[in-house]
Amino acid sequence: MKKVLLMLLAVILLVSCGEKQKQNVKAPTRVKTQVVSPGMVDNAQTYVGIVEEREATAVSFTGMGVVKRMLVNEGQAVSKGQLIAEMDDTQARNLLSGAEAQMTQANDALARFKMLHDNGSLPEVQWVEIQSKVAQAKSQLEVAKKNLEDCRLVAPVSGIVGRKLIGAGETALPSQAVVSILDISTVKVKVAVPEAEIGGINANTPTSMTVEAINGSYQGGRIEKGVQADALTHTYDIRIHVANGDRKLLPGMVASVRFISDGSQAIGSKMIPVTAVQKKSDGSLFVWTVGKDSTAHRANVTIGQTQGNYVSVIEGLDIGDRIATEGYQKLSEGTKVIY
């Protein structure tokens, strides 16, 4: 009996120790990493850009009335000529009916007086007056038809609906925007460039960009340079044209933009994000590297010149080293990581 009790006690102790060991094992820390490679070595400037539509069109009714139906939603693709909204057309139809009755009456009078005019028994002045009334009735009929047509709001261009500013049941005023239609077949990426670096950028400077929201990479096209600097930041806004045939780039998305300067590549140099470099209490600099065993280690570095959001590393790293660029705040020497 004692032997059985001792065996049970030993099993309980082993299970308890195993559970404690499991509790002491920490889950790996998730970080974002980047490999130091010659691909990061080019003489490039990197900035944050915002995607903008190529052109925005505000669509509105020409008259005042209550909106009866809204047929589109925000983000919906629309084609030129597609019906967007309808206004209550009761009054417009009544006016059209009145104009049609006047037109019928004028035509009837014209037909009857024409016979008198042809027989020479109608004074010329009266005949001209009859013709004028017919023309006036015709003009009023055309206006009434146009008013009825204007109760239907159609898209003047193709694109996507950016914002819907009025809903069904609300009163629309003349020239008050009902929806905005955005042309995103080509988009512009706006970047604020410091005044010290704007001189190195021209209309044909090569650019590349990545957009994390859609995990896409794009090549930039023609560049528009602003000529007036921001009074507070001393930066100039430039806009880069980017083809967007698949319509994946949407206004407001954030892009990481790289401007490739005319200088040649600095072969053998190593560029890393400035934010990856940390400072110790003694003032020395280091980065967190991730070994092949997914373990974090400090690596002391000596840095050189900065280029945009990147800085060159003179000593401390080799091509092929993997460094932590995000999430390194939770790291300590020997921490297991996943990336």
Side-chain angles (χ1 to χ4, degrees), residues 22-278:
K22 290 180 180 179
Q23 292 175 355
N24 292 332
V25 175
K26 293 183 178 180
T29 302
R30 180 172 293 277
V31 296
K32 282 190 176 182
T33 65
Q34 184 170 302
V35 175
V36 182
S37 66
M40 298 163 52
V41 198
D42 55 15
N43 187 19
Q45 307 288 353
T46 304
Y47 303 92
V48 175
I50 302 295
V51 178
E52 295 180 340
E53 66 277 2
R54 178 176 177 269
E55 188 174 358
T57 303
V59 186
S60 60
F61 288 103
T62 57
M64 183 178 72
V66 177
V67 177
K68 183 169 63 175
R69 289 198 304 165
M70 285 296 300
L71 303 175
V72 296
N73 296 310
E74 294 184 357
Q76 178 180 335
V78 295
S79 301
K80 183 177 180 180
Q82 179 177 336
L83 183 62
I84 294 176
E86 287 183 320
M87 185 185 291
D88 185 2
D89 58 0
T90 303
Q91 184 177 1
R93 289 187 179 279
N94 291 336
L95 292 175
L96 178 60
S97 297
E100 288 175 340
Q102 289 183 355
M103 188 74 249
T104 301
Q105 184 179 10
N107 285 331
D108 181 65
L110 179 67
R112 285 187 288 107
F113 281 100
K114 186 177 186 302
M115 291 187 294
L116 296 176
H117 177 267
D118 292 344
N119 294 332
S121 57
L122 183 70
E124 190 67 26
V125 174
Q126 194 173 355
W127 174 244
V128 172
E129 183 180 351
I130 294 298
Q131 289 181 317
S132 298
K133 288 182 178 180
V134 172
Q136 184 179 4
K138 184 177 181 181
S139 176
Q140 291 177 347
L141 179 61
E142 294 299 324
V143 170
K145 288 181 178 179
K146 181 65 168 57
N147 288 338
L148 182 60
E149 290 178 2
D150 289 344
C151 290
R152 293 167 49 89
L153 187 64
V154 298
V157 294
S158 300
I160 63 169
V161 178
R163 294 187 62 188
K164 188 167 66 172
L165 303 170
I166 293 181
E170 297 184 79
T171 300
L173 300 176
S175 301
Q176 178 187 10
V178 176
V179 296
S180 62
I181 298 179
L182 309 179
D183 180 1
I184 59 170
S185 56
T186 299
V187 296
K188 299 178 183 179
V189 178
K190 184 178 75 171
V191 181
V193 178
E195 60 181 8
E197 300 170 8
I198 191 67
I201 298 174
N202 57 54
N204 299 312
T205 297
T207 59
S208 63
M209 58 198 70
T210 57
V211 181
E212 290 190 2
I214 56 175
N215 194 27
S217 299
Y218 297 85
Q219 295 296 320
R222 181 172 58 86
I223 295 176
E224 299 176 2
K225 290 176 60 174
V227 296
Q228 188 171 359
D230 185 279
L232 296 178
T233 61
H234 295 283
T235 58
Y236 289 84
D237 286 342
I238 71 167
R239 287 173 170 81
I240 308 164
H241 289 251
V242 181
N244 188 33
D246 54 7
R247 304 297 198 276
K248 289 184 177 180
L249 288 173
L250 300 176
M253 286 185 173
V254 178
S256 177
V257 183
R258 293 167 65 86
F259 292 89
I260 312 300
S261 66
D262 295 333
S264 60
Q265 290 191 343
I267 303 301
S269 65
K270 300 168 283 289
M271 303 295 292
I272 63 173
V274 174
T275 53
V277 181
Q278 307 297 304

